[in-house]
Amino acid sequence: MTDSHKMGISERKEREKEQKRSLMLEAAEALILEKGLDNLNMTEVADRAEVSKGSLYQYFESKTDLVLGICNKATGLLTKEIQKVLTQDKPGIELVHMIGSTFMSFVTQHPEYFRAMKFHDNLKETSDLEDSTFLDSCSTNMQSSFTCMVRAIQIGMQDGSINSSYDPKELALILWATSHGMVSMAYQHQNTQHFNLLNELGINLKSLFENFMKMIGCGIATEAQKGNYDSQSFFETNGTN
Amino acid sequence: MTDSHKMGISERKEREKEQKRSLMLEAAEALILEKGLDNLNMTEVADRAEVSKGSLYQYFESKTDLVLGICNKATGLLTKEIQKVLTQDKPGIELVHMIGSTFMSFVTQHPEYFRAMKFHDNLKETSDLEDSTFLDSCSTNMQSSFTCMVRAIQIGMQDGSINSSYDPKELALILWATSHGMVSMAYQHQNTQHFNLLNELGINLKSLFENFMKMIGCGIATEAQKGNYDSQSFFETNGTN
DNA sequence: TCAAAAAATGACCGATAGTCACAAAATGGG
DNA sequence: CCCATTTTGTGACTATCGGTCATTTTTTGA
């Protein structure tokens, strides 16, 4: 038996292992959609993926690790979509808008992914030194998304569409945090059955997001640009492949 | 034995019951501060409060109910502080600033309360018809806080400090959501030991929050007011006490 | 064909939320 | 002050679920 043959085998095994892992993740995602992350049950995940519990634990160290695996997919996907925005030849301020829209539609289209991302955020405050294969990867992905926001702002400051009196990184952080707040509200609105401000006020999400963008636009635009973005809708420019 | 005497007894009992409940809540809060909400253990809460587990469960239906009890205290306190802001005779846009600052300092000063509030948010998406005595009260409190924001905006539109092209309630919702995003970031920064954008970027929270306010100020101010709030710090105007 | 390695399995364990039969304490009329 | 009744307190116990591991099954490769 040749070395290359051996190599072929181990490669195939690696592929199969990755496929099985992926299947298990999909089972977990489906269950999260059905019953919520808080009701996720490892035995059920195993059953759904048609493997035994022991087998599941051969692919994921723990329940935390499993959810972080989903978060890893999520942040990877989101980052890819955001990076694609940056390839477009548009004014910086418009790129910022599009990044926001991308984030928003990502969350509404993949609530279970956003749920996993919230779980990840939560972990960071709670657990003392958890170790998961996916933690680093998640952080790197998020870092990449954030860097895209910084780039968009820098582009905007270069092309004169964004007020350069702000520090780019600081502004990026503000936009990231505020977008997160908006997106969280959208998520909650979509996934909550109980009391909820939006319905009560008769406000629709789309209009809300448009006005958020308008406010941001006014807040960060240069004097020359003010008013340009007042009545445009950026809600449509979502990153649907 | 007179009726009034009987009444006196039952009132005293009610007071004592409320005191004990409060003691249990305090025990839980302390444990959350020490070990995080996710490591909160009912037996430990009982021990800390110097009662038995069974007794604890006479005062709170479930662990969820206990945490919602903390959330109830939290939202009550926050609402009180925000309402106090509104009693001041200031331009509307400044009231908006102060509400934001109040929220921010509330969270940094009472991380365990904010944690309980996040738990409450989480419940709404997860659980199918949980029943807790505190759920309604929490919602009412949050509603009150939100109403304060609407009031501040209406005041600002009246006195000409806030651009009245927005719908007041919609703008309030935007400010609420974005503030929540900023405050969440501050919370995470303060309570996370791991990887964290802020330290890495060498940005300090105070400056970040000031610039958030500046951006908001630009975004919602009337033309006449633009530039007035550019370099002011609203971070200090927190509702201590 | 068969022995060694890898993967799969599910009975089992420990932790913890929640319960309940019983005990202690408080109440109030005589 | 005593005793019956109601209220409150207690901790052993149960059920559930995350995680483990000895054993079985499958795959590998000579």
Side-chain angles (χ1 to χ4, degrees):
Chain A
M1 182 136 308
T2 64
D3 276 3
S4 67
H5 185 189
K6 278 179 187 170
M7 194 79 90
I9 295 246
S10 77
E11 270 169 11
R12 196 204 65 207
K13 282 211 161 186
E14 195 54 43
R15 258 203 328 278
E16 280 176 354
K17 187 156 186 170
E18 213 48 57
Q19 276 170 10
K20 276 189 187 169
R21 206 195 299 271
S22 185
L23 241 45
M24 292 172 185
L25 284 176
E26 278 163 31
E29 287 162 24
L31 284 169
I32 290 174
L33 270 177
E34 284 170 26
K35 311 168 60 174
L37 176 55
D38 294 347
N39 295 37
L40 190 66
N41 178 294
M42 289 305 266
T43 308
E44 273 184 272
V45 173
D47 288 353
R48 175 71 70 104
E50 290 178 306
V51 295
S52 69
K53 210 163 144 183
S55 211
L56 180 58
Y57 273 93
Q58 243 169 2
Y59 289 82
F60 298 96
E61 291 172 15
S62 65
K63 186 177 179 180
T64 295
D65 196 43
L66 175 72
V67 180
L68 252 27
I70 298 175
C71 179
N72 184 42
K73 273 178 72 177
T75 54
L77 186 55
L78 176 60
T79 299
K80 217 177 73 186
E81 288 183 8
I82 286 180
Q83 280 169 340
K84 202 161 56 191
V85 169
L86 271 201
T87 64
Q88 300 181 39
D89 186 23
K90 297 261 174 79
I93 197 168
E94 224 166 292
L95 293 177
V96 168
H97 282 140
M98 291 170 72
I99 289 175
S101 299
T102 302
F103 194 11
M104 178 66 85
S105 50
F106 176 81
V107 169
T108 51
Q109 279 164 35
H110 306 289
E112 76 283 16
Y113 283 174
F114 188 60
R115 189 64 192 77
M117 286 164 67
K118 293 208 302 177
F119 177 85
H120 169 256
D121 281 347
N122 197 41
L123 258 198
K124 292 201 299 186
E125 29 174 297
T126 291
S127 62
D128 347 58
L129 51 128
E130 287 280 337
D131 38 51
S132 156
T133 336
F134 301 110
L135 254 181
D136 281 346
S137 176
C138 289
S139 290
T140 306
N141 286 338
M142 292 304 279
Q143 185 95 358
S144 299
S145 288
F146 177 75
T147 302
C148 287
M149 184 65 97
V150 179
R151 290 275 168 279
I153 287 168
Q154 286 170 331
I155 291 170
M157 286 177 172
Q158 280 289 329
D159 66 27
S161 63
I162 293 179
N163 189 327
S164 46
S165 75
Y166 295 96
D167 172 67
K169 284 177 184 165
E170 210 168 327
L171 183 54
L173 212 49
I174 290 172
L175 292 181
W176 195 256
T178 50
S179 301
H180 201 283
M182 289 298 296
V183 156
S184 280
M185 167 166 289
Y187 171 80
Q188 214 160 62
H189 171 250
Q190 191 181 265
N191 300 82
T192 219
Q193 49 275 67
H194 303 295
F195 162 84
N196 160 337
L197 278 175
L198 265 85
N199 320 352
E200 248 168 60
L201 299 176
I203 291 172
N204 93 358
L205 246 186
K206 186 173 162 178
S207 147
L208 194 71
F209 188 73
E210 278 170 28
N211 278 314
F212 166 64
M213 286 307 192
K214 174 180 165 186
M215 193 192 74
I216 295 294
C218 287
I220 71 175
T222 53
E223 289 307 320
Q225 295 289 319
K226 290 259 169 77
N228 269 16
Y229 299 96
D230 275 5
S231 39
Q232 264 176 269
S233 161
F234 293 92
F235 197 77
E236 319 299 352
T237 55
N238 54 41
T240 47
N241 265 10
Chain B
M1 184 140 306
T2 64
D3 276 3
S4 67
H5 185 189
K6 278 180 187 169
M7 193 77 91
I9 293 245
S10 76
E11 270 169 12
R12 197 203 64 206
K13 281 210 163 188
E14 196 54 44
R15 259 203 327 279
E16 279 176 356
K17 188 155 185 169
E18 214 47 59
Q19 276 170 11
K20 275 188 188 169
R21 207 195 297 274
S22 185
L23 241 43
M24 291 173 186
L25 284 177
E26 277 163 31
E29 287 161 24
L31 285 169
I32 290 174
L33 270 177
E34 283 171 26
K35 311 168 61 174
L37 176 55
D38 295 346
N39 294 41
L40 190 66
N41 179 294
M42 290 303 266
T43 308
E44 273 183 89
V45 173
D47 288 353
R48 175 70 71 107
E50 290 179 303
V51 295
S52 70
K53 211 165 148 184
S55 212
L56 180 58
Y57 273 93
Q58 243 170 359
Y59 289 84
F60 299 95
E61 291 172 14
S62 65
K63 187 176 177 178
T64 294
D65 195 44
L66 175 72
V67 180
L68 251 29
I70 298 176
C71 179
N72 184 40
K73 273 179 73 177
T75 54
L77 186 55
L78 176 60
T79 299
K80 216 178 72 185
E81 288 184 7
I82 287 179
Q83 280 168 340
K84 201 161 56 189
V85 169
L86 271 201
T87 64
Q88 300 180 42
D89 184 25
K90 297 264 174 79
I93 196 168
E94 224 166 294
L95 293 178
V96 168
H97 282 141
M98 289 169 73
I99 289 175
S101 299
T102 301
F103 194 10
M104 178 64 87
S105 51
F106 176 80
V107 169
T108 51
Q109 279 165 35
H110 307 290
E112 76 283 15
Y113 283 173
F114 188 60
R115 189 65 192 78
M117 287 165 68
K118 294 209 301 178
F119 178 87
H120 169 258
D121 281 347
N122 197 40
L123 259 198
K124 291 201 300 188
E125 29 175 296
T126 291
S127 61
D128 346 59
L129 50 129
E130 287 281 340
D131 38 52
S132 158
T133 336
F134 301 110
L135 255 181
D136 282 345
S137 175
C138 288
S139 290
T140 306
N141 286 338
M142 293 303 279
Q143 186 95 359
S144 300
S145 287
F146 176 75
T147 302
C148 288
M149 184 67 96
V150 178
R151 289 276 168 279
I153 288 169
Q154 287 170 331
I155 291 170
M157 286 175 172
Q158 282 288 332
D159 65 29
S161 64
I162 294 180
N163 188 330
S164 47
S165 75
Y166 295 95
D167 172 67
K169 283 178 186 164
E170 208 167 329
L171 184 53
L173 212 48
I174 291 172
L175 292 182
W176 195 255
T178 51
S179 300
H180 200 284
M182 290 298 296
V183 155
S184 279
M185 167 165 290
Y187 171 80
Q188 215 161 61
H189 172 250
Q190 191 181 262
N191 298 83
T192 219
Q193 50 275 69
H194 303 296
F195 163 85
N196 161 334
L197 279 174
L198 265 84
N199 318 350
E200 248 167 59
L201 298 175
I203 291 170
N204 93 358
L205 247 186
K206 186 173 162 180
S207 147
L208 194 72
F209 188 72
E210 277 170 27
N211 278 313
F212 165 65
M213 287 306 193
K214 174 180 166 185
M215 193 192 74
I216 295 294
C218 287
I220 70 175
T222 53
E223 289 306 321
Q225 294 291 320
K226 288 263 168 72
N228 269 16
Y229 299 97
D230 276 4
S231 38
Q232 264 177 268
S233 162
F234 293 92
F235 197 76
E236 318 299 352
T237 55
N238 55 40
T240 51
N241 138 3

